[in-house]
Short mmCIF file of all heavy atoms in Angstrom, two decimals:
data_model
loop_
_atom_site.label_atom_id
_atom_site.label_comp_id
_atom_site.label_asym_id
_atom_site.label_seq_id
_atom_site.Cartn_x
_atom_site.Cartn_y
_atom_site.Cartn_z
N ILE A 106 91.34 91.94 73.98
CA ILE A 106 90.80 92.55 72.78
C ILE A 106 91.20 94.05 72.68
O ILE A 106 91.69 94.53 71.49
CB ILE A 106 89.24 92.48 72.77
CG1 ILE A 106 88.81 91.05 72.61
CG2 ILE A 106 88.67 93.35 71.57
CD1 ILE A 106 87.20 90.84 72.82
N ASN A 107 91.22 94.72 73.79
CA ASN A 107 91.73 96.06 73.68
C ASN A 107 93.12 96.14 73.37
O ASN A 107 93.62 96.95 72.54
CB ASN A 107 91.48 96.82 75.12
CG ASN A 107 89.83 97.00 75.42
OD1 ASN A 107 89.24 97.26 74.46
ND2 ASN A 107 89.66 97.15 76.64
N GLY A 108 93.95 95.40 74.08
CA GLY A 108 95.39 95.33 73.84
C GLY A 108 95.66 94.95 72.34
O GLY A 108 96.76 95.52 71.93
N LEU A 109 95.12 94.00 71.74
CA LEU A 109 95.49 93.61 70.53
C LEU A 109 95.15 94.74 69.41
O LEU A 109 95.96 94.97 68.50
CB LEU A 109 94.64 92.39 70.08
CG LEU A 109 95.01 91.02 70.66
CD1 LEU A 109 94.11 89.92 70.29
CD2 LEU A 109 96.44 90.65 70.06
N LEU A 110 94.02 95.39 69.68
CA LEU A 110 93.76 96.52 68.73
C LEU A 110 94.61 97.67 68.90
O LEU A 110 95.18 98.27 67.91
CB LEU A 110 92.19 97.13 69.10
CG LEU A 110 91.15 96.05 68.71
CD1 LEU A 110 89.83 96.78 69.25
CD2 LEU A 110 91.02 95.83 67.22
N VAL A 111 95.13 97.87 70.11
CA VAL A 111 96.17 98.91 70.34
C VAL A 111 97.64 98.50 69.84
O VAL A 111 98.25 99.29 69.17
CB VAL A 111 96.28 99.37 71.84
CG1 VAL A 111 97.48 100.25 72.21
CG2 VAL A 111 94.85 99.91 72.37
N TRP A 112 97.87 97.23 70.12
CA TRP A 112 99.13 96.73 69.71
C TRP A 112 99.33 96.53 68.14
O TRP A 112 100.27 96.97 67.55
CB TRP A 112 99.44 95.44 70.45
CG TRP A 112 100.74 94.80 70.21
CD1 TRP A 112 101.85 95.31 69.46
CD2 TRP A 112 101.10 93.37 70.41
NE1 TRP A 112 102.87 94.29 69.53
CE2 TRP A 112 102.37 93.17 70.05
CE3 TRP A 112 100.33 92.40 71.01
CZ2 TRP A 112 103.07 91.88 69.98
CZ3 TRP A 112 101.01 91.01 71.09
CH2 TRP A 112 102.30 90.84 70.67
N ARG A 113 98.45 95.63 67.67
CA ARG A 113 98.55 95.21 66.23
C ARG A 113 98.10 96.25 65.19
O ARG A 113 98.69 96.34 64.13
CB ARG A 113 97.75 93.96 66.06
CG ARG A 113 98.47 92.86 66.90
CD ARG A 113 99.85 92.54 66.49
NE ARG A 113 100.40 91.29 67.01
CZ ARG A 113 101.62 90.86 66.92
NH1 ARG A 113 102.47 91.64 66.14
NH2 ARG A 113 102.08 89.76 67.43
N LEU A 114 96.97 97.01 65.55
CA LEU A 114 96.48 97.82 64.55
C LEU A 114 96.84 99.33 64.91
O LEU A 114 96.61 100.28 64.20
CB LEU A 114 95.00 97.81 64.58
CG LEU A 114 94.40 96.52 64.13
CD1 LEU A 114 92.77 96.71 64.17
CD2 LEU A 114 94.89 96.00 62.87
N ASN A 115 97.72 99.64 65.98
CA ASN A 115 98.29 100.73 66.30
C ASN A 115 97.16 101.98 66.42
O ASN A 115 97.41 103.08 66.01
CB ASN A 115 99.42 101.19 65.27
CG ASN A 115 100.28 102.35 65.99
OD1 ASN A 115 100.47 102.32 67.11
ND2 ASN A 115 100.86 103.17 65.00
N ILE A 116 95.99 101.57 66.97
CA ILE A 116 94.98 102.51 67.15
C ILE A 116 95.14 103.20 68.52
O ILE A 116 95.38 102.38 69.43
CB ILE A 116 93.58 101.72 66.96
CG1 ILE A 116 93.39 101.02 65.67
CG2 ILE A 116 92.50 102.90 67.23
CD1 ILE A 116 92.07 100.32 65.66
N PRO A 117 94.95 104.53 68.61
CA PRO A 117 95.08 105.13 70.00
C PRO A 117 94.08 104.50 70.93
O PRO A 117 92.97 104.09 70.66
CB PRO A 117 94.54 106.56 69.61
CG PRO A 117 94.93 106.77 68.18
CD PRO A 117 94.70 105.50 67.58
#
Side-chain angles (χ1 to χ4, degrees):
I106 292 172
N107 290 335
L109 283 172
L110 291 173
V111 172
W112 177 21
R113 292 301 188 184
L114 299 183
N115 200 29
I116 304 174

